[in-house]
Amino acid sequence: MFSLNQEKTANFELLCLQISLAYQQEAWQESEKQSNAIARHNAYLNYVCLKTFLTWLSEESEVQPSVWPSQNSLPAIWEVVNGTAIQLGETRLVLIPCDDADRSEFSVPQEWVDIPNWVADYYIAVEVILDGDEDDCFLRVGGFTTHRQLKNKGRYNESDRTYSLPTESLTKNLTVMQATIGLFSPEKVPPLPTLSIAKIMNLLKILSDSSLYSPRLRVDIPFEEWAALLADEKSRQQLYNRRMGLLIPDFMPNQQPIILKGWLQDIVEKGRNAVDDIWQTFETLFAQPEAVRSRVKSQTSSPDAIGPVISLLQPHQSDRIRRQAAGVIGEIGTGNRDAIEALIQLLKTTQDEETRWQASLSLGKIDPGNPLAGVKKARLIDMGMQLGGHRLGLIVAIRPKLEERIGVSLQVQPLDNSTKLPPNLKLSVLSESGETISGLETEARSDDEGRGKDEFLELRFSPPPRKLFRVRLSVDNLNITEDFIA
């Protein structure tokens, strides 16, 4: 629920807000993120409308508003649909801007009414007045309606796929929204079809031409199929990327998120060599030359070799030595009870986070069923010529923590150990809505000659249980995103 400051707002029959010069300038810059003139005009109107209204609403409301689904998602929406959603607690508003002062109807695009996860409680008509000087532009809020009114009393226009109501039927005073919250819940709308990968790829191919100014109005594409494409964030973003001419590889529509705790179950059921089609054990992707592996194994795998290595885990040793010893035990101690117990004790006693990680991952190798065991997997990332043809590995390690949480370690490094990461390569962790999580982004550096100087990038964090997060690897206009559930 939200509450407007009634003392300030009750006097407004039609709310008028001045558009600042700064917002107008920002809007021009933001509109350049669209592929054609019509989309740029739509983005400009929506941006000045959103920023101006949001500034006023933040001052008037007891609950701080936020953009839905996220600020970063707006260019992909404004490329094809008019309107912007604002979340205010459990209440959703959709602003529908228009620069036609003579309109007699309030028209809402069907997407905001019939896509289940786009449905709002209230729809607000906003007139954007830009006829005066730059310092004399303003918004006029013409009133609002509800989802139930649009569905039950609105006129559906098949030609432009909108629901329309006469402007005189709108409720003018916004304070009425506060009094009616919960009284007019949105109408139920039918679920959208599940599109096959082949159907999604075909729709993207048809709709990616930026000269097609209104892809939402293609008469040969049923609205239900268009809506299902738009409702999926990855498909919507891919459509935007293609219309903007951006090359984004490895797109897999409707790709299921990876449940990380399932990896812990995998090492119990399948042992240390558990792999899938994309994610492999770290040792498989970053395999040592056979000669090196054989020499290490011959020198250290005998039972007599384990005892001296275990002795290096004692508390009087430095963290560096204990960490290195834990790594060696992970290679030579499979099934050895003394080695397993030594790693468990190390996990319980060390205060060094790096040592904890090494001990947990080594325990996952020599005793996969142990409740303290961690696991590390990697996948190939190929960005082609953007990286000079060099291949990267995205490495994800997890280890159990208290209260059902897991620790997550992310790394990116070249498969060729002699190669540095390209400058400006970014590793980011995003929320489910696509926003970069504060403190969880790192970028590869360059030396004085502009060449890469970093051998790897790394991020560590502990997400809440069962929380979805996204890992993005990006350079220039290229990015790859993978979804995970903690």
Side-chain angles (χ1 to χ4, degrees), residues 53 82-85 91-97 103 106-126 141-151 163 165 170-171 174 177 184-187 189:
F53 188 85
N82 182 29
T84 308
T91 302
R92 183 176 298 169
L93 322 174
V94 171
L95 306 176
I96 306 294
R103 65 176 179 174
F106 174 46
S107 296
V108 178
Q110 187 179 0
E111 289 85 347
W112 292 112
V113 181
D114 286 340
I115 296 180
N117 63 331
W118 285 36
V119 166
D121 298 281
Y122 299 99
Y123 300 82
I124 301 176
V126 183
V141 177
F144 73 91
T145 188
T146 66
H147 184 265
R148 186 175 292 270
Q149 287 174 312
L150 281 171
K151 289 294 287 184
Y163 287 87
L165 287 168
L170 300 179
T171 303
L174 295 185
M177 285 194 296
F184 304 105
S185 58
E187 288 279 330
V189 296

Side-chain angles (χ1 to χ4, degrees), residues 245-372:
L246 302 176
L247 174 63
I248 309 296
D250 284 10
F251 170 66
M252 183 58 66
N254 296 329
Q255 186 177 28
Q256 294 298 313
I258 295 169
I259 301 175
L260 288 175
K261 285 187 178 179
W263 285 4
L264 297 176
Q265 187 65 29
D266 281 346
I267 65 172
V268 175
E269 295 177 352
K270 303 177 185 177
R272 63 179 294 180
N273 293 318
V275 298
D276 57 33
D277 292 338
I278 298 177
W279 289 91
Q280 308 172 57
T281 61
F282 173 82
E283 294 79 9
T284 300
L285 192 60
F286 289 85
Q288 293 179 332
E290 186 63 35
V292 175
R293 290 202 306 271
S294 299
R295 185 169 67 252
V296 171
K297 184 175 182 180
S298 66
Q299 293 175 349
T300 61
S301 60
S302 68
D304 292 340
I306 295 178
V309 179
I310 291 176
S311 69
L312 297 176
L313 300 180
Q314 297 305 310
H316 67 274
Q317 300 287 355
S318 69
D319 288 328
R320 180 180 63 84
I321 291 177
R322 299 176 87 191
R323 188 161 56 248
Q324 291 176 344
V328 172
I329 288 176
E331 299 300 324
I332 69 174
T334 301
N336 186 291
R337 297 310 309 171
D338 290 339
I340 293 169
E341 184 59 32
L343 288 177
I344 292 173
Q345 289 304 312
L346 180 60
L347 275 166
K348 291 180 178 179
T349 59
T350 184
Q351 299 300 311
D352 182 65
E353 185 67 12
E354 292 287 342
T355 305
R356 286 197 189 101
W357 270 103
Q358 184 60 71
S360 181
L361 294 174
S362 290
L363 192 60
K365 295 179 180 181
I366 69 175
D367 188 25
N370 196 289
L372 298 179

Side-chain angles (χ1 to χ4, degrees), residues 54-329:
L54 204 58
T55 299
W56 171 81
L57 189 59
S58 297
E59 296 173 353
E60 296 291 326
S61 174
E62 295 176 359
V63 178
Q64 283 305 297
S66 60
V67 178
W68 183 93
S70 71
Q71 188 76 35
N72 290 340
S73 300
L74 296 180
I77 293 175
W78 293 341
E79 175 72 15
V80 293
V81 181
N82 182 29
T84 308
I86 295 175
Q87 200 70 33
L88 204 57
E90 297 180 358
T91 302
R92 183 176 298 169
L93 322 174
V94 171
L95 306 176
I96 306 294
C98 176
D99 57 355
D100 180 7
D102 297 325
R103 65 176 179 174
S104 60
E105 288 187 326
F106 174 46
S107 296
V108 178
Q110 187 179 0
E111 289 85 347
W112 292 112
V113 181
D114 286 340
I115 296 180
N117 63 331
W118 285 36
V119 166
D121 298 281
Y122 299 99
Y123 300 82
I124 301 176
V126 183
E127 181 186 349
V128 182
I129 300 172
L130 304 171
D131 295 336
D133 296 331
E134 287 184 333
D135 58 355
D136 192 28
C137 297
F138 59 95
L139 304 182
R140 179 186 292 123
V141 177
F144 73 91
T145 188
T146 66
H147 184 265
R148 186 175 292 270
Q149 287 174 312
L150 281 171
K151 289 294 287 184
N152 293 336
K153 298 181 180 180
R155 177 175 60 86
Y156 177 68
N157 308 291
E158 188 173 1
S159 61
D160 62 0
R161 290 179 173 175
T162 61
Y163 287 87
S164 299
L165 287 168
T167 54
E168 60 265 22
S169 69
L170 300 179
T171 303
K172 308 301 182 185
N173 197 319
L174 295 185
T175 56
V176 178
M177 285 194 296
Q178 179 181 341
T180 59
I181 285 181
L183 299 181
F184 304 105
S185 58
E187 288 279 330
K188 290 189 179 299
V189 296
L192 298 172
T194 299
L195 302 180
S196 67
I197 292 178
K199 171 62 73 174
I200 291 175
M201 300 308 292
N202 184 55
L203 289 173
L204 290 174
K205 182 179 180 180
I206 294 172
L207 300 171
S208 293
D209 184 359
S210 60
S211 66
L212 180 63
Y213 287 168
S214 297
R216 61 184 296 273
L217 300 182
R218 283 282 299 234
V219 295
D220 57 335
I221 299 176
F223 174 80
E224 290 74 18
E225 292 184 4
W226 160 252
L229 182 78
L230 206 61
D232 178 73
E233 183 174 1
K234 283 190 174 182
S235 300
R236 182 175 69 242
Q237 187 64 40
Q238 181 65 197
L239 175 62
Y240 169 76
N241 291 337
R242 292 186 177 206
R243 289 177 64 83
M244 291 296 293
L246 302 176
L247 174 63
I248 309 296
D250 284 10
F251 170 66
M252 183 58 66
N254 296 329
Q255 186 177 28
Q256 294 298 313
I258 295 169
I259 301 175
L260 288 175
K261 285 187 178 179
W263 285 4
L264 297 176
Q265 187 65 29
D266 281 346
I267 65 172
V268 175
E269 295 177 352
K270 303 177 185 177
R272 63 179 294 180
N273 293 318
V275 298
D276 57 33
D277 292 338
I278 298 177
W279 289 91
Q280 308 172 57
T281 61
F282 173 82
E283 294 79 9
T284 300
L285 192 60
F286 289 85
Q288 293 179 332
E290 186 63 35
V292 175
R293 290 202 306 271
S294 299
R295 185 169 67 252
V296 171
K297 184 175 182 180
S298 66
Q299 293 175 349
T300 61
S301 60
S302 68
D304 292 340
I306 295 178
V309 179
I310 291 176
S311 69
L312 297 176
L313 300 180
Q314 297 305 310
H316 67 274
Q317 300 287 355
S318 69
D319 288 328
R320 180 180 63 84
I321 291 177
R322 299 176 87 191
R323 188 161 56 248
Q324 291 176 344
V328 172
I329 288 176

